[in-house]
Amino acid sequence: MDEVIQLASGAIVTPLKRIEHPKGDVLHGLKATDDTFRGFGEAYFSTVLPGITKGWKRHERMTLNLVVPVGTIEFHLRSLDGQIADSIRLGETRYARLTVPPGVWMAFTGIGASLNLLLNVASIPHDPTEAVNVPLEHFSLES
């Protein structure tokens, strides 16, 4: 995957560089000059265990920039009305950034065999009043 992909849900997948080095690799994440950069609010890590799904959540103002440096995570995305669906796996074998704009529903599943690590570089600081959560059963995980 060498080109930026616009998903039907409105999310964007951007390939990232992984520079191999014998003492440890360098993994790019996000630059202020990237087209998908919408400001910096905070960066945080989240883990998800194999076979576990977290979600559904929709942010009203936050743009998420998601990178999976360890393991593999499958992201499940739905448009605001829930009708348009996308699924995409990112991780060590498909190293890319998933940019999720406000208004897109998201859940994610740990696919890797052990720890799956996610980095979110969010456009605004965490604000519990700007996100909506619904039970996992609210939407199908299938595209």
Side-chain angles (χ1 to χ4, degrees):
M1 182 179 83
D2 293 331
E3 60 186 49
V4 174
I5 300 170
Q6 175 82 43
L7 301 176
S9 62
I12 298 169
V13 180
T14 304
L16 295 173
K17 289 184 182 177
R18 180 181 198 122
I19 302 165
E20 294 184 15
H21 189 278
K23 294 183 179 181
D25 295 350
V26 174
L27 290 81
H28 284 201
L30 180 67
K31 298 176 188 173
T33 55
D34 288 341
D35 290 342
T36 55
F37 182 74
R38 300 291 178 262
F40 177 76
E42 69 176 358
Y44 67 84
F45 293 93
S46 181
T47 61
V48 58
L49 298 173
I52 300 297
T53 301
K54 293 182 176 182
W56 291 94
K57 180 179 268 192
R58 183 187 79 222
H59 288 276
E60 302 291 335
R61 296 187 333 262
M62 181 186 289
T63 296
L64 298 93
N65 287 286
L66 306 166
V67 179
V68 180
V70 177
T72 302
I73 296 176
E74 182 169 8
F75 295 91
H76 314 280
L77 306 166
R78 293 261 177 192
S79 59
L80 181 59
D81 62 7
Q83 299 303 306
I84 298 173
D86 292 305
S87 283
I88 185 151
R89 288 184 181 192
L90 299 180
E92 295 172 38
T93 57
R94 186 179 191 187
Y95 189 62
R97 180 179 61 251
L98 177 64
T99 302
V100 181
V104 174
W105 288 100
M106 185 184 73
F108 55 93
T109 304
I111 301 297
S114 59
L115 178 72
N116 300 286
L117 181 67
L118 156 69
L119 165 64
N120 180 22
V121 181
S123 63
I124 63 172
H126 174 73
D127 175 359
T129 66
E130 71 84 40
V132 178
N133 294 284
V134 296
L136 195 55
E137 300 77 30
H138 190 80
F139 296 114
S140 167
L141 294 177
E142 303 301 316
S143 299

